[in-house]
Amino acid sequence: MTAAADPQDATVEGCPRHVAIIMDGNGRWATQRGRPRLFGHHAGAKRVREIVEACPDFGVKYLTIFAFSTENWKRTQVEVAGLMTLFRRYISKEMRHLRERGVRVRFIGDRVRLDDKLIKLMNELEEATAHNDHVNLTIALNYGGRDEVARATQRLAQDVAEGRLNPDNVDEETLPKYLDTYVLPDPDLVIRTSGEARISNFLLWQSAYAEYEFIDTLWPDFTRAEFGALCASYGGRERRFGAVKA
Ligand code: IPE
Ligand code: IPE
Ligand code: MG
């Protein structure tokens, strides 16, 4: 296939090329059913496949999902350990399917605090899908927008200190090159499920001009149909990027 036939950068008219989702509400979904929070996380993980597979139908080339934040370590040890086990299982179980479906998977976030077995699986999944380009799935795991900017700044400062970068040349184009998302376009649409209207430290720099949708549905109940409706309503919005429409 030629680059022109399937350009990564093509935008389908009226569709968000990059959608980012804050998958919230697993705990409440489980509590409503009288079950432990981890039951909700398992149900939430099961929703991911359907949404990833729906992307091409709605013109979405990049999907970024918030799986675990740098603040989520504050939860009980049982919940954190359960989530880490779930991430390991998810990767092992989905690896083949994602590879065969043409999904390229990337992880963003700080891997340092994650356990070795999980890091190994994350690397394996990235490598196994590195040649795919049908859909780009980015999983934010131990991710925080402020933490990302702090880590980026540290590396940028290192480059200045070692003479690779002139401070006079640091501008809006320079910093994003140091972010975890350096290969991704900025999100066009950010969806948060569960009724909370906040961004909880997700893609702070990258979402400066994203459109937002805060919906009441709890993540385990989120469907392909609802995803499609949000993508369609994005097409009706007028993005001005600070300018006045001519
Ligand atoms: C989102 O669901 C998943 C993670 C943060 C890991 P929550 O666990 O935050 O669910 P609620 O918000 O408590 O319902
Ligand atoms: C955001 O949800 C993080 C993820 C979805 C992984 P939280 O449930 O952690 O956010 P707060 O605590 O409601 O802000
Ligand atoms: Mg929550």
Side-chain angles (χ1 to χ4, degrees):
M1 196 181 283
T2 65
D6 185 18
Q8 287 283 310
D9 285 342
T11 300
V12 181
E13 182 69 25
C15 297
R17 182 163 63 121
H18 183 178
V19 178
I21 306 183
I22 301 171
M23 309 184 290
D24 196 19
N26 295 347
R28 277 163 283 172
W29 187 90
T31 304
Q32 282 172 4
R33 286 160 178 75
R35 303 294 297 268
R37 294 178 59 83
L38 275 166
F39 180 70
H41 294 313
H42 280 270
K46 284 194 195 128
R47 298 308 311 147
V48 174
R49 192 191 268 198
E50 180 179 311
I51 303 308
V52 172
E53 290 185 352
C55 284
D57 298 339
F58 305 133
V60 176
K61 195 77 194 171
Y62 295 86
L63 179 73
T64 300
I65 54 176
F66 204 1
F68 191 87
S69 79
T70 45
E71 288 70 39
N72 287 149
W73 298 104
K74 294 177 197 159
R75 297 186 179 198
T76 63
Q77 203 267 334
V78 169
E79 184 168 352
V80 171
L83 280 165
M84 294 302 149
T85 304
L86 172 63
F87 296 143
R88 285 200 303 271
R89 283 205 196 129
Y90 174 84
I91 296 174
S92 310
K93 270 177 65 183
E94 291 296 305
M95 178 115 46
R96 184 162 166 207
H97 185 80
L98 289 161
R99 192 180 60 220
E100 289 175 0
R101 288 299 175 110
V103 181
R104 177 167 190 173
V105 184
R106 299 177 175 92
F107 289 93
I108 55 171
D110 190 1
R111 297 184 195 200
V112 169
R113 213 174 151 181
L114 302 174
D115 78 66
D116 291 344
K117 266 195 261 167
L118 178 56
I119 297 172
K120 192 165 168 279
L121 282 164
M122 289 160 70
N123 290 334
E124 255 180 68
L125 182 56
E126 284 185 330
E127 281 163 31
T129 62
H131 300 293
N132 287 344
D133 71 351
H134 192 46
V135 177
N136 292 274
L137 171 66
T138 302
I139 304 174
L141 215 167
N142 193 26
Y143 174 87
R146 288 181 172 180
D147 175 71
E148 180 191 33
V149 171
R151 286 185 287 106
T153 308
Q154 209 172 70
R155 288 200 302 278
L156 188 149
Q158 198 74 41
D159 279 353
V160 169
E162 290 168 16
R164 288 187 293 271
L165 181 67
N166 179 345
D168 292 338
N169 295 336
V170 175
D171 57 18
E172 281 188 29
E173 309 293 318
T174 317
L175 188 77
K177 293 191 182 123
Y178 289 86
L179 296 175
D180 298 347
T181 51
Y182 65 101
V183 291
L184 306 176
D186 284 344
D188 301 298
L189 173 64
V190 178
I191 298 168
R192 182 177 189 142
T193 57
S194 91
E196 313 290 357
R198 55 176 175 260
I199 58 173
S200 301
N201 207 7
F202 191 42
L203 302 175
L204 297 180
W205 171 283
Q206 298 88 339
S207 299
Y209 271 99
E211 300 288 328
Y212 282 89
E213 289 279 6
F214 298 102
I215 57 164
D216 288 337
T217 309
L218 302 175
W219 173 253
D221 291 328
F222 189 68
T223 59
R224 172 197 158 87
E226 198 161 10
F227 183 46
L230 293 170
C231 292
S233 90
Y234 165 88
R237 292 174 175 214
E238 186 199 317
R239 299 180 78 192
R240 289 190 284 269
F241 299 98
V244 175
K245 205 183 173 205

